[in-house]
Amino acid sequence: MTRTVVVTGATSGIGRATARELAGRGDRLVLAARSPATLDEVRDECRAAGARAIAVPMDVTEPGAVAALADAARTEFGGVDAWVHTAAVMSYGRFDETPAEVFEQVVRTDLLAAATVAREALRRFRDAGGGTLVLTGSVLGHITAPYMSGYVAAKWGLQGLARTLQQEARETPGVAICLVNPGSVDTPVYRQAANYLGRIGRPPPPIASPERVARAIAHCLDRPRREVSVGRLNVVMRFGFTVLPGVYDVLVGPLMRLAGLTRTPVAPHEGVVFTPNSAGEAVRGGWLPDPARVVRAVGGRAATVASAVRRRLP
């Protein structure tokens, strides 16, 4: 069945991977993000895959923007069957050294904007008789890590919001609320983050691909689930945080500095918290090998070996 799906945060990382995944499945797509030029690229990628897609540049934190996005979906495709919300920003720094306006904008984008999306989506779903909302959380909605206070606070809030919406949705037939919680993912969000720590952040291993998270989101649209975890160590980290809190708190700081931060120095900056950077937007962040590059490299070496073997044959 072909659906009309709104994807907020569609220009980079998980959102862009999800747009591609859903395009390959033939869904009609309403793509939204802050960077018009990049958004047009994603729309063209989806159309090249055979999907009907429109691009709606907008900022989820701007008053009225989410409602206008839903109206655009109704005008173009007659309504909204599903909504996937992936828009998020991040900031690194000690809580007391991070500017208050940066902390507040991270929470505004990652939590309050998600609430705005949920409110609008649920209103449209009720009018249509059903629909599926997929919110993108994080393993950091179940555990904590130093130097990421705004992001952690927002994801804990999103966890509570999603659970409450799921309870209320039991009274609304046809409406499903799903929460997808990735661990570390190979996206540009770490390099694009605001930084007041002096070292660029990175996803600690093991790192999942954004395409893997996108497939989990697509499965939720096909068969809604309350919560899906993507990441091999998510369960282990949650266990340690809950059952051994003293040990967890002793270890998490050194591990964060070792595995969650690069050695690359960086001056304080706001990243994309307030303004997008289209030059940094992509599906992947470069933390995992590029599959296409690996295939080309392996193919090139195989051709070289084959050529050498042929030259030695009589």
Side-chain angles (χ1 to χ4, degrees):
M1 179 183 70
T2 301
R3 301 163 295 212
T4 297
V5 185
V6 178
V7 181
T8 36
T11 52
S12 195
I14 293 170
R16 191 165 184 168
T18 299
R20 290 178 173 181
E21 178 71 23
L22 298 179
R25 294 168 178 244
D27 288 323
R28 297 180 295 265
L29 300 174
V30 181
L31 307 171
R34 295 182 296 176
S35 299
T38 311
L39 196 59
D40 286 344
E41 292 177 7
V42 181
R43 177 202 59 200
D44 293 344
E45 291 171 0
C46 293
R47 288 178 176 176
R52 294 177 60 191
I54 63 170
V56 183
M58 53 86 75
D59 185 334
V60 291
T61 66
E62 290 294 325
V66 174
L69 174 60
D71 287 340
R74 182 180 59 191
T75 299
E76 184 71 22
F77 297 123
V80 178
D81 300 310
W83 199 309
V84 177
H85 182 65
T86 68
V89 294
M90 187 184 290
S91 174
Y92 287 97
R94 287 177 56 92
F95 172 73
D96 57 326
E97 296 174 354
T98 300
E101 61 271 18
V102 172
F103 177 92
E104 290 167 6
Q105 184 67 9
V106 170
V107 174
R108 186 175 295 115
T109 302
D110 296 359
L111 175 58
L112 299 183
T116 301
V117 164
R119 188 177 296 113
E120 191 63 36
L122 291 173
R123 185 170 71 84
R124 305 288 173 144
F125 294 163
R126 282 196 299 269
D127 293 343
T132 301
L133 170 65
V134 179
L135 299 171
T136 308
S138 169
V139 68
L140 288 175
H142 289 287
I143 65 174
T144 59
Y147 318 128
M148 303 178 70
S149 55
Y151 188 81
V152 170
K155 293 304 182 180
W156 273 71
L158 186 63
Q159 186 75 29
L161 174 65
R163 184 68 178 270
T164 302
L165 296 181
Q166 289 167 347
Q167 293 165 353
E168 294 176 353
R170 296 173 67 87
E171 303 169 3
T172 312
V175 173
I177 313 294
C178 309
L179 183 65
V180 175
N181 286 328
S184 295
V185 184
D186 180 22
T187 76
V189 69
Y190 308 91
R191 299 186 196 276
Q192 298 270 67
N195 199 301
Y196 302 92
L197 199 59
R199 292 164 59 184
I200 294 175
R202 65 182 177 190
I207 304 170
S209 71
E211 291 85 359
R212 181 182 172 193
V213 183
R215 289 192 295 271
I217 290 172
H219 291 327
C220 281
L221 295 182
D222 293 337
R223 302 183 67 178
R225 295 173 57 186
R226 291 170 58 85
E227 184 173 342
V228 176
S229 178
V230 182
R232 293 195 299 273
L233 289 185
N234 288 8
V235 173
V236 175
M237 290 187 290
R238 289 177 61 178
F239 178 85
F241 181 83
T242 304
V243 179
L244 301 169
V247 175
Y248 180 94
D249 287 353
V250 167
L251 295 178
V252 68
L255 287 174
M256 178 66 180
R257 290 188 289 272
L258 176 66
L261 300 170
T262 69
R263 296 292 181 183
T264 306
V266 62
H269 65 90
E270 295 178 346
V272 298
V273 170
F274 296 100
T275 306
N277 172 27
S278 58
E281 293 174 330
V283 172
R284 292 193 172 218
W287 306 105
L288 287 174
D290 182 346
R293 187 175 300 173
V294 171
V295 169
R296 289 195 298 270
V298 171
R301 290 176 183 174
T304 300
V305 171
S307 177
V309 170
R310 285 196 298 270
R311 286 196 299 270
R312 282 175 163 66
L313 291 176

